[in-house]
Amino acid sequence: MAETTTEFDAIVVGAGFSGLYMLYELRRRGLTARVLEAGSDVGGTWYWNRYPGARCDVESLDYSYSFDEDLQQEWKWTERYPAQPEIQRYLAHVADRFDLRKDITFDTRVVAAHYDTPSATWTVRTEAGDRLTARYCILATGCLSVPKAPEIPGLDDFRGPVYHTATWPESGVDFSGRRVGVFGTGSSGVQAIPMIAQKAGHVTVFQRTPAFSVPAFNGPLDPEWEREIKTNYAERRRQNRASEAGIVRGDNPQSAHDVDDEQRQREYESRYTKGGFGILGAYADLMADQRANDTVSDFVRQKIRERVTDPEVAERLLPWEYPLGTKRICVDTDYYETFNRDNVTLVDLRRDALETVTANGVRTARGEVELDCLVLATGFDAMTGAVNRIDIRGRDGAVLAEKWGAGPRTYLGLGTAGFPNLFLLAGPGSPSVLTNMVTAIEQHVEWTGRCIEHLRTHGYRTIEPTVEAEDGWVDHVNEVASMTLFPKAASWYLGANVPGKPRIFMPYAGGFATYEKQCDEVAEQDYRGFALK
Ligand SMILES: Cc1cc2nc3c(=O)[nH]c(=O)nc-3n(C[C@H](O)[C@H](O)[C@H](O)COP(=O)(O)OP(=O)(O)OC[C@H]3O[C@@H](n4cnc5c(N)ncnc54)[C@H](O)[C@@H]3O)c2cc1C
């Protein structure tokens, strides 16, 4: 198939929530498009992350597309927080229902995208050497789609199998009776550890930084609740779009300092017992004021103590080094209770330093633990990883990875100067990972669809952010982040989990509704800040 040339209006890279809806939107507007996907099926995150316990932490009725009333009415979720197979089935259903697969090429990794100024087209090259050309290139490559290479000394010496949560074998893994070592206690680790512990002979968790986790209280979807939402689904979705987190969580406009201790405890307790991360909406200043945040961090730390039987183990599980919420809060099922099991051991690497992985296990300052297999829940090269892995060249041969060498630069997270007709979905500089991502993705897809239609109806060949608008937006993103507590955590939001990655707070922390308003104003003002030619 190498060296074929095909013309499309748009090429979309990635077939997760973003790429699928983008394809639908382009078609709806009468454009031709081809989606190129490295995986063998649709789903993106939900295709790759098949580890035991993988599930969403935004409720199913909100973590789903809103663009088609029949789709949202007819699809039946079984659980409040569905597991990976169900979300994957849902996305496969969407692909089939709207006949999307015929325009998707699977098992195809895009390695380059080069812009040609005279013809104003993008040529996209795949790993197999195929070339496709299009007017628009749309990157739906995902914020969390490139597993981070683990920096664990001696890993290559280990004789047993090593599994990364984000590239989990499709056939599953049988842990029965095996001695399992787990590295990584972020969202994936917190979900996987309780499930692995139910099967394994013994699990040793090597913890570098403890998580803040709150219970999901997951269970079958309450039919009454489902009926209530579905009776007026449009209104629910409107409220999600009008919120700052892309999800209704009853955000309280009060400051945590406006109420006394007792009232605050009651508020936290009531939100905690509902499950999920609604606790973050308890007070308006939790993410902006250290003292306010201390009150909720202390509350959750106390809950951790209550959930763990051995006080010493509990102490080791307490996060002290960052404020709650500044690293993505985890939503768990029996995470802390898992450390009450006889077959689970916690090794706190802050106290017992990691020396090396050996052929037979892991050696810390305390000695060697013998293991049969290792699980790495060590996260992702987030937000820029997938984009920077593609050789993207814009006007005058500008190389995107070089332009972003000191951190990503975008206007609204939607485009970047010097790269005409290149669109990013949920890109750095947009709310993306700080929100219900399906809400964020739908807004980006719809904005991009409208923008492309505007270009076509007005006879413009290209659109590109101006350098001034982009500089202004990057300053704004940084300024907003600096008004929050987010920079206090060495998080993947900041690129701090990847050695050598520039430390720039990448998502837009100004809130979803505020952000969408700005995007709409830009469009209404003839795409202010973009050069249209
Ligand atoms: C375990 C896990 C749980 C999550 N839970 C939630 C949640 O509860 N709520 C929430 O809001 N968000 C959650 N997220 C974030 C999640 O990534 C988004 O919600 C959403 O699925 C992103 O969709 P996407 O289409 O933008 O990206 P992805 O789903 O990541 O899809 C991107 C696709 O692009 C493909 N791709 C990338 N580069 C190339 C290339 N060069 N060539 C070809 N194909 C390429 C990838 O193979 C991938 O399939 C979770 C993420 C993870 C990892």
Side-chain angles (χ1 to χ4, degrees), residues 475-496:
D475 287 348
H476 178 58
V477 170
N478 287 330
E479 191 192 337
V480 171
S482 71
M483 288 155 57
T484 70
L485 299 175
F486 281 111
K488 291 199 169 197
S491 68
W492 55 259
Y493 296 141
L494 264 169

Side-chain angles (χ1 to χ4, degrees), residues 353-423:
L354 175 68
E355 288 182 357
T356 187
V357 174
T358 63
N360 300 315
V362 172
R363 199 168 64 232
T364 69
R366 278 261 178 116
E368 185 162 346
V369 182
E370 291 206 351
L371 298 164
D372 300 315
C373 55
L374 287 176
V375 171
L376 307 180
T378 43
F380 300 89
D381 182 353
M383 312 226 39
T384 52
V387 176
N388 282 340
R389 271 167 182 70
I390 304 173
D391 171 19
I392 300 174
R393 300 190 186 198
R395 257 189 311 108
D396 310 319
V399 177
L400 187 62
E402 281 173 14
K403 177 182 169 182
W404 285 11
R409 301 190 70 77
T410 70
Y411 179 41
L412 297 166
L414 285 159
T416 184
F419 298 80
N421 294 350
L422 180 75
F423 293 92

